[in-house]
Amino acid sequence: MGFTEKQEALVKESWEVLKQDIALFSLRFFSLILEIAPGAKNMFSFLRDSEEIPQNNPKLKAHAVKVFKMTCESAIQLREKGQVVVGETTLKYLGAVHVNSGVIDPHFEVVKEALLRTVEEAVGKDKWNEEMKGAWAEAYDQLASAIKAEMNTNPPASS
């Protein structure tokens, strides 16, 4: 069936809400990742050496913004092109970073759950519904698939 115009609109609309307080939602996103999978902390270079998530960690915010934005862009691409198209250089970089960080399939599911819960909190119970959840889930799944495909072509760097 493909990604519908309505699904794209739902993702764009909720992205606009996220952008209004991106620092808060970035922190919430990472808090949820660590709540779901506490061991994930060591996979993020900017969290590894800290005892808690610093409220003003610029790297944390920047990383969360990238995840939110790339998922939103994936939704737009799914609508326009029928697939996620990430620049080859970016995709190679993402594949290599994820391989070298030891990311495996279940980690993508943790991030997806945290992403969906963050978007739900951002838009509120009155706007959040199965359709919006499905749109974000599909956009994220397609982005994750593109990253995983690149990871499979990137062997881990030897230590």
Side-chain angles (χ1 to χ4, degrees):
M1 175 170 120
F3 205 72
T4 67
E5 195 172 329
K6 173 130 190 206
Q7 286 175 306
E8 179 189 17
L10 289 168
V11 171
K12 283 179 166 179
E13 174 189 329
S14 42
W15 168 236
E16 289 303 317
V17 174
L18 285 165
K19 287 195 302 190
Q20 291 172 20
D21 197 349
I22 199 69
L24 172 76
F25 294 119
S26 297
L27 185 64
R28 183 62 182 142
F29 176 62
F30 274 97
S31 297
L32 285 168
I33 288 173
L34 299 179
E35 183 182 300
I36 297 164
K41 179 181 175 188
N42 292 327
M43 298 182 84
F44 298 99
S45 60
F46 50 88
L47 296 178
R48 225 174 263 142
D49 299 323
S50 67
E51 286 306 307
E52 59 184 273
I53 299 177
Q55 295 286 336
N56 298 316
N57 185 325
K59 290 181 179 177
L60 179 144
K61 179 182 168 189
H63 189 75
V65 169
K66 280 182 199 166
V67 174
F68 294 142
K69 191 173 181 190
M70 286 187 82
T71 303
C72 185
E73 289 169 355
S74 295
I76 294 165
Q77 291 174 352
L78 282 169
R79 175 76 184 123
E80 291 175 356
K81 301 176 181 155
Q83 64 180 355
V84 172
V85 182
V86 182
E88 190 177 333
T89 307
T90 301
L91 200 54
K92 285 192 181 314
Y93 171 76
L94 288 171
V97 166
H98 284 82
V99 164
N100 291 333
S101 296
V103 174
I104 55 176
D105 279 357
H107 297 137
F108 283 96
E109 290 305 311
V110 168
V111 172
K112 179 180 176 180
E113 182 180 339
L115 175 76
L116 295 175
R117 286 171 56 185
T118 303
V119 175
E120 178 181 6
E121 289 177 22
V123 300
K125 298 283 184 206
D126 55 325
K127 286 193 176 194
W128 182 255
N129 57 39
E130 285 302 311
E131 204 172 11
M132 184 178 282
K133 179 182 180 179
W136 274 93
E138 179 64 19
Y140 176 80
D141 287 346
Q142 293 293 330
L143 175 61
S145 290
I147 293 170
K148 289 178 196 177
E150 188 59 39
M151 288 172 65
N152 289 332
T153 66
N154 262 309
S158 45
S159 314

